Amino acid sequence: KFGIPNLFSQDLLDEAGRMARQALGQGREDLRHLPIVAIDPVDARDFDDAVWASPRDDGGFDAIVAIADVSFYVRPHSLLDKEARKRGNSVYFPDRVVPMLPEELSADICSLRAGEDRAALACHMVIDKDGQLKSWRFSRAVIKVAANIPYEDAQAAMDGEKPHDLLEPALKPLWACWALLAKARDKREPLDLDLPERRVVLDENGRIMSVAPRARLDAHRLIEDFMIAANVAAAKALEG
């Protein structure tokens, strides 16, 4: 109806295939030994980011936010780059997504799936005991996500309602690090726009059955605060 481009030319698909098959490249920092997890909506169609944290002896935390390294596959002035510039963004509907990039990239090789080696941009941060960002560095890395965990499952594991193998090695350190970030955020008293997200449920014929708010969990806030910390680190790195 609104002319959203939903098809890719064969040349674009061929280029996406070639780029998806290339090796991850030399010199990447190997982070595959870390229990990095991706926490996303239960109906997520792709996985863009993953997180990890580990306590330090000084009461702070080492933390990593890993983002799918899309720029490794979409090179400047390539056909993929030009098409992505024209589209501007992916468009999400209740039952499908019209991607900015061909699905071989957007939903496969650039999606941080559990158990798969993936190219990532890693933001390494040191968070002190007061929740302040003390140092940061960025690296091109290779990661292997330990699990793709829905928000609800991560929250249930933390609340003791549902067991999870990664509760001790991954989730508890993440929550403890987030507690420090949240304490620092509350001290800053930022504008808090806690707006509910709504989920549209369709029947088998594509007709709307219901529109209901999604539950707002600590797991959502955790991921948001880690992403904010990584963006602050990126801004500081660019300033420096």
Side-chain angles (χ1 to χ4, degrees), residues 77-89:
H77 312 300
S78 64
L79 290 177
L80 290 167
D81 183 37
K82 292 174 182 177
E83 182 68 16
R85 286 174 179 270
K86 284 196 300 184
R87 294 185 179 222
N89 53 265

Side-chain angles (χ1 to χ4, degrees), residues 56-124:
R56 296 168 58 89
D57 293 338
D58 59 8
F61 279 81
D62 292 310
I64 294 175
V65 172
I67 308 293
D69 190 0
V70 179
S71 62
F72 179 65
Y73 299 98
V74 182
R75 303 299 174 87
H77 312 300
S78 64
L79 290 177
L80 290 167
D81 183 37
K82 292 174 182 177
E83 182 68 16
R85 286 174 179 270
K86 284 196 300 184
R87 294 185 179 222
N89 53 265
S90 298
V91 182
Y92 289 84
F93 294 98
D95 61 339
R96 73 195 70 184
V97 59
V98 180
M100 184 172 64
L101 299 170
E103 290 191 7
E104 190 165 4
L105 295 178
S106 62
D108 186 6
I109 203 67
C110 293
S111 185
L112 304 181
R113 294 180 178 176
E116 301 286 346
D117 290 353
R118 289 292 184 259
L121 283 172
C123 174
H124 304 253

Side-chain angles (χ1 to χ4, degrees), residues 182-199:
K183 181 174 70 173
R185 181 198 60 218
D186 292 342
K187 189 174 181 179
R188 294 194 306 270
E189 296 184 344
L191 182 64
D192 186 10
L193 297 176
D194 197 3
L195 303 176
E197 180 183 348
R198 286 176 166 76
R199 182 185 183 196

Side-chain angles (χ1 to χ4, degrees), residues 9-240:
S9 70
Q10 190 60 50
D11 286 344
L12 278 162
L13 294 174
D14 291 344
E15 183 171 282
R18 288 195 303 273
M19 299 307 290
R21 289 189 294 272
Q22 69 179 335
L24 293 181
Q26 299 297 317
R28 286 188 179 271
E29 185 173 6
D30 193 344
L31 302 178
R32 288 174 290 184
H33 61 289
L34 298 177
I36 298 176
V37 295
I39 303 176
D40 292 281
V42 67
D43 53 357
R45 294 177 178 85
D46 46 53
F47 308 101
D48 303 324
D49 50 70
V51 290
W52 169 88
S54 180
R56 296 168 58 89
D57 293 338
D58 59 8
F61 279 81
D62 292 310
I64 294 175
V65 172
I67 308 293
D69 190 0
V70 179
S71 62
F72 179 65
Y73 299 98
V74 182
R75 303 299 174 87
H77 312 300
S78 64
L79 290 177
L80 290 167
D81 183 37
K82 292 174 182 177
E83 182 68 16
R85 286 174 179 270
K86 284 196 300 184
R87 294 185 179 222
N89 53 265
S90 298
V91 182
Y92 289 84
F93 294 98
D95 61 339
R96 73 195 70 184
V97 59
V98 180
M100 184 172 64
L101 299 170
E103 290 191 7
E104 190 165 4
L105 295 178
S106 62
D108 186 6
I109 203 67
C110 293
S111 185
L112 304 181
R113 294 180 178 176
E116 301 286 346
D117 290 353
R118 289 292 184 259
L121 283 172
C123 174
H124 304 253
M125 299 175 287
V126 174
I127 310 296
D128 72 11
K129 60 183 177 58
D130 297 316
Q132 300 297 322
L133 177 64
K134 300 304 293 183
S135 64
W136 55 87
R137 68 180 178 88
F138 290 82
S139 70
R140 289 188 182 272
V142 55
I143 68 171
K144 182 180 287 187
V145 167
N148 297 111
I149 309 176
Y151 285 118
E152 294 80 2
D153 288 359
Q155 190 68 57
M158 287 300 301
D159 293 343
E161 298 173 357
K162 186 176 182 179
H164 200 287
D165 292 343
L166 292 171
L167 177 62
E168 295 293 336
L171 295 180
K172 282 189 175 180
L174 282 169
W175 251 259
C177 182
W178 172 62
L180 300 182
L181 293 172
K183 181 174 70 173
R185 181 198 60 218
D186 292 342
K187 189 174 181 179
R188 294 194 306 270
E189 296 184 344
L191 182 64
D192 186 10
L193 297 176
D194 197 3
L195 303 176
E197 180 183 348
R198 286 176 166 76
R199 182 185 183 196
V200 179
V201 179
L202 306 179
D203 65 15
E204 63 273 11
N205 296 316
R207 293 175 297 199
I208 295 175
M209 294 177 61
S210 65
V211 180
R214 292 182 186 265
R216 180 70 169 161
L217 307 172
D218 283 347
H220 294 95
R221 298 182 178 91
L222 178 146
I223 294 300
E224 289 169 1
D225 282 343
F226 270 91
M227 296 305 141
I228 289 170
N231 276 277
V232 170
K236 289 181 177 293
L238 291 171
E239 283 181 342

